[in-house]
Amino acid sequence: MNKFINADASACIGCKTCEIACVLAHGEEIRTIESAHFNSRLDVIEVGDITVPVMCHQCEDAPCMLACPNGAIIRQNNHIKVLQEKCIGCKTCVLACPFGAMKVKLKIEDLIVAGHARGKRYKAQAIKCDICYSDPNGPACVRTCPTKALSLVDLDDLIKIQEKRQRDSVLAIR
Ligand code: SF4
Ligand code: SF4
């Protein structure tokens, strides 16, 4: 089962530390926090007096993966991953995601023709949470949230939550 990051709305104070941590953790793609280049893979959303980060659920039957016409989204290392070299920027995945967790951005990169740099070109990238899978310390947002509103959930955690809910529901009957 894929791991995913759970956000606790009751603990979130809307400070957006998680967004900054996410941008910095993916620094090879994002070198500035200017708004035009601020490519956070999670967004702190405010509705009324509630603030909470919204991000990818790493769906098992991922609608984005099933919808991508170019095979650019795959399951790998316990999460749903975008193969950027295959992304054509069609935005089908953005429309397919039920949580608004996918974004398509343009990155400026070198245009290489016959092994030589021939100016610059735009390259589309589908951006989503990758649970910082290559970092042995775990997701940057989880580590930096000052109120511990974020947690990385695996199958064992999910079973513990389920068992607690089952016990609570039995106690509620008494
Ligand atoms: S981007 Fe959306 S559809 Fe794709 S795995 Fe994440 S939550 Fe699911
Ligand atoms: S934007 Fe890229 S990743 Fe998304 S559906 Fe299109 S090709 Fe696939």
Side-chain angles (χ1 to χ4, degrees):
M1 196 195 81
N2 291 335
K3 297 178 182 176
F4 65 101
I5 296 172
N6 184 41
D8 179 357
S10 66
C12 177
I13 57 173
C15 66
K16 301 195 177 191
T17 304
C18 52
E19 288 187 8
I20 306 252
C22 178
V23 169
L24 295 176
H26 298 88
E28 46 192 38
E29 294 167 20
I30 301 142
R31 294 176 176 78
T32 173
I33 56 172
E34 290 171 20
S35 59
H37 305 286
F38 189 81
N39 294 339
S40 175
R41 289 154 192 249
L42 73 171
D43 292 300
V44 177
I45 303 297
E46 185 174 350
V47 178
D49 57 358
I50 298 172
T51 60
V52 71
V54 171
M55 76 197 86
C56 175
H57 289 236
Q58 314 298 345
C59 311
E60 300 301 322
D61 293 329
C64 61
M65 180 173 69
L66 299 175
C68 177
N70 207 36
I73 305 176
I74 61 169
R75 176 197 298 271
Q76 192 177 84
N77 297 321
N78 292 321
H79 76 291
I80 301 299
K81 177 178 178 171
V82 180
L83 303 173
Q84 299 298 350
E85 67 277 12
K86 295 190 76 175
C87 177
I88 56 174
C90 67
K91 299 169 270 300
T92 306
C93 55
V94 178
L95 295 174
C97 174
F99 303 104
M102 183 73 87
K103 303 171 188 175
V104 169
K105 299 267 186 167
L106 289 177
K107 179 184 174 190
I108 298 174
E109 63 180 24
D110 292 332
L111 174 64
I112 306 293
V113 179
H116 300 285
R118 293 276 188 267
K120 301 286 181 186
R121 70 158 193 157
Y122 285 107
K123 170 72 182 80
Q125 290 196 314
I127 308 272
K128 66 179 281 299
C129 168
D130 60 2
I131 59 170
C132 293
Y133 72 92
S134 58
D135 187 336
N137 297 314
C141 57
V142 172
R143 284 186 279 119
T144 53
C145 174
T147 62
K148 307 290 178 218
L150 295 168
S151 54
L152 184 64
V153 178
D154 63 14
L155 181 58
D156 287 344
D157 299 322
L158 208 53
I159 289 171
K160 280 181 199 149
I161 292 168
Q162 184 184 27
E163 288 174 348
K164 180 179 183 312
R165 296 264 165 87
Q166 288 172 338
R167 283 196 302 274
D168 289 348
S169 66
V170 170
L171 290 172
I173 296 171
R174 293 173 61 197

